[in-house]
Amino acid sequence: MEYQNILTTCIYCGCGCPLYVQILDGEIVGVLPSKEHPISRGQLCIKGWNATAFVYHSDRLKTPLIRRGDSLEEATWAQALGLVAQRLATIRDESGPDSIGFLTSAKCTNEENYLLQKLARAVIKTNNVDHCARL
Amino acid sequence: MSVIEQVRAHVKERLQQLDGVVALRQTVEGTAPFLFREGDNLDQLALEPQYPLAPVVSLLHKRDPAVRIGVVARGGDVRALVEMAKREQVDPERLHIIGVACTDDEAQDCRCSDPAPSIDAWPHAVLVGTPAQGAGPNPLVAEYDKMSLEERREFWERQFSKCIKCYGCRNICPVCFCESCALEDPLWVEKGVLGPPFPMFHLIKAMHMAGRCVACRQCELACPAHIPLTVLYDLMRRDVEALLGYVPGEDLGMGPPLSLTLEEAPLRAKVR
């Protein structure tokens, strides 16, 4: 029998509270706050306490889905990203760059958010960038 | 030998006959509960900060009905283990307790009046450290006692209005183990609505803690809204002791009064 706690960072907002994920024999069994960390000082909000709830959830998406008509079909990442790139290019060319907006997320890292705004400004050439914390 | 060295020596010895010992492990990342097994680096075994370990013992006992483990337990942990054992959430026969008496400073941090684990009733247990005197009564309770009924209602309304419904007080509680919780039942608590129903949200929890709360202060320390939960639970403990003559966590052999029939646990006449 193996039981341990792995320190990680809550994925739900920009506060980035550290928390422990409890692991029993390789399976996530719960969350504990980090009592020593200066950010959360042993306290979490309801999102942090449930930060791992999606991991084994039956609704969790495990592959990209592409909408075809009324149905969502499983696809590979190459197919999904290829389609997104192609449609974004078409919309930009037909309706102009400012017809597109980019919404990013506190769940992403700084670097990922930087890359998204770079994509928006340098590739699509729009300043329409916003963030889930303002939605 | 210092207290920590004595604890490590006991753990090392017991690891030869047990499947593991639950204790705190300190690494560069921080300190958290861990199941030490034979051969693990016991220099990493730490005694602080305090995490509730009774739920970890319960988790491991339930996962494997044959597993025999130890636990490095503070006074609050042992009291919680007592209440969990009475409710068949841990099995005393499969548990070795290495009790650690808290220092006076540690007792003050947890407002603990009973910082030395009482281990006599446990089949396999040892105590390390010198029992400290412990903290006196909660000063906030004395202040509360002076308030009028109206002031008390206002006090709780003010405190509970800070609640962000994180459920942290329930999640960290070492004696909360129900699989379905009244606080998640839409009959009592509507999902997605802030704040919590006043005063039911906190009073449901308090009622369920009657005869169970072992005064470890983990809920108060886990509360991001800084609600003085120990006032609520100290008052509940005081009433349970006055009415039922019961102090949770004190006596492994005494049945929990609210789980017994009235004949087994007669109400004391002293109703205030």
Side-chain angles (χ1 to χ4, degrees), chain A residues 1-7 20 22 24-25 27 29 32-37 41-46 49-50, chain B residues 29-35 37 49-51 56 59-60 63-64 165-168 171 218 221-224 226:
Chain A
M1 184 177 274
E2 222 176 297
Y3 169 85
Q4 60 177 322
N5 278 276
I6 305 284
L7 187 72
Y20 285 105
Q22 300 187 69
L24 175 57
D25 292 334
E27 182 195 345
V29 290
L32 279 177
S34 168
K35 296 214 176 203
E36 296 164 310
H37 203 282
R41 291 170 295 180
Q43 297 158 0
L44 291 171
C45 79
I46 192 163
W49 276 108
N50 292 283
Chain B
E29 290 185 340
T31 311
F34 183 71
L35 181 71
R37 294 179 304 171
Q50 297 201 30
Y51 276 92
V56 180
L59 176 74
L60 304 185
R63 174 60 64 101
D64 180 352
K165 266 173 81 181
C166 71
Y167 288 75
N171 295 342
Q218 290 288 337
L221 296 173
C223 179
H226 307 295

Side-chain angles (χ1 to χ4, degrees), chain B residues 186-241:
Chain B
L187 177 68
W188 301 108
V189 181
E190 207 181 335
K191 253 189 195 175
V193 178
L194 275 178
F198 174 82
M200 287 313 288
F201 187 88
H202 293 88
L203 293 194
I204 289 170
K205 170 89 162 64
M207 285 305 288
H208 289 192
M209 284 295 113
R212 241 203 251 201
C213 171
V214 294
C216 65
R217 210 191 170 204
Q218 290 288 337
C219 52
E220 189 170 277
L221 296 173
C223 179
H226 307 295
I227 299 170
L229 289 164
T230 49
V231 173
L232 184 61
Y233 293 113
D234 281 354
L235 293 167
M236 177 58 80
R237 283 168 56 83
R238 190 169 75 181
D239 281 355
V240 167
E241 189 175 1

Side-chain angles (χ1 to χ4, degrees), chain B residues 1-10 128:
Chain B
M1 232 183 347
S2 67
V3 168
I4 183 86
E5 283 166 348
Q6 288 178 58
V7 170
R8 286 175 182 149
H10 279 294
V128 179

